[in-house]
Amino acid sequence: MAEGDWLVADRQTAGRGRQGREWRDGAGNFMGSTVVHLRPGDPAPETLALVAGLALHEVVAPKVRAAVMLKWPNDVLVAGAKLAGILLERAGDAVIVGIGVNLAQAPTVADRPTVSLAALGAEVERDAFAADLARQFAADLDRWRGYGLGPIVRRWSAAGHPPGMALEADDGDDRLSGAFAGLTEGGALQLRLADGSLRVIHAGEVRIA
């Protein structure tokens, strides 16, 4: 696949989310993937999750009246319910960026609330949404490459968790609880624990407490 191209599915029979979870599709929803071919000097590949999140935020926020928030590292929430998810997969010198957005309907998920744009009063046609997202992702990808990670982290911080929000995180070794203390310059999550210490989470599962 050439960079800039998108593969958009009408239906999925074996969709996957983070940590091997099943991703349930729905007719009328957006399920798409694109590829980023890594170049010398690019920021860290995992920060493409921030780029994709920002692109989604830019496209979704004007369509709804409720608050749209990015949840580190890969979800878009509206009024606390999951609207969209992002999954990155490395393939050699390329990163496949997969995105699912509940446009028409929201799947029922046992451990978290979900929402669709239709339920929020925004009737969005799938192909028009795909075109808007492709344009915005291309623009944000150019900024990621041209200006580095600093502006991306600042923009994400404005659209993401407010400072002090209570979070729980599994970083692979420990289950931690604390308050969101911003992102590092490299885009990792900082968690202020109850004892005042600061933990940096580079990868793992994060939940709003």
Side-chain angles (χ1 to χ4, degrees):
M1 182 186 293
E3 194 167 288
D5 289 348
W6 285 76
L7 177 64
V8 179
D10 290 327
R11 297 301 303 267
Q12 283 188 158
T13 59
R16 289 185 297 115
R18 278 176 56 85
Q19 299 184 339
R21 293 190 184 93
E22 179 185 359
W23 175 266
R24 301 173 181 86
D25 74 347
N29 287 346
F30 175 83
M31 297 157 284
S33 299
T34 190
V35 64
V36 176
H37 294 286
L38 300 173
R39 305 173 186 174
D42 280 349
E46 62 270 18
T47 61
L48 285 167
L50 305 183
V51 176
L54 285 171
L56 278 169
H57 190 277
E58 291 291 331
V59 174
V60 169
K63 302 181 187 304
V64 298
R65 295 182 179 180
V68 180
M69 187 186 78
L70 298 176
K71 182 175 82 68
W72 190 93
N74 63 347
D75 288 342
V76 179
L77 308 183
V78 178
K82 183 172 179 175
L83 175 75
I86 300 158
L87 180 67
L88 303 185
E89 292 190 287
R90 183 74 178 264
D93 290 331
V95 176
I96 308 301
V97 181
I99 296 175
V101 186
N102 301 328
L103 301 182
Q105 54 185 296
T108 300
V109 180
D111 62 345
R112 67 197 66 190
T114 59
V115 71
S116 69
L117 285 180
L120 294 166
E123 298 294 334
V124 180
E125 195 272 327
R126 196 275 311 271
D127 290 348
F129 181 89
D132 289 344
L133 180 59
R135 283 192 293 269
Q136 187 62 49
F137 183 81
D140 284 323
L141 183 64
D142 285 345
R143 296 185 183 104
W144 179 77
R145 284 193 167 124
Y147 298 101
L149 198 55
I152 296 292
V153 168
R154 288 192 291 273
R155 285 176 58 210
W156 195 99
S157 297
H161 315 287
M165 173 174 272
L167 300 176
E168 296 177 347
D170 294 328
D171 67 354
D173 298 319
D174 301 307
R175 177 168 292 182
L176 305 170
S177 297
F180 177 60
L183 301 184
T184 68
E185 291 181 356
L189 181 141
Q190 297 183 106
L191 196 65
R192 181 74 64 184
L193 305 185
D195 63 4
S197 64
L198 193 67
R199 288 287 293 269
V200 176
I201 310 297
H202 294 280
E205 184 76 7
V206 172
R207 296 173 297 278
I208 296 173

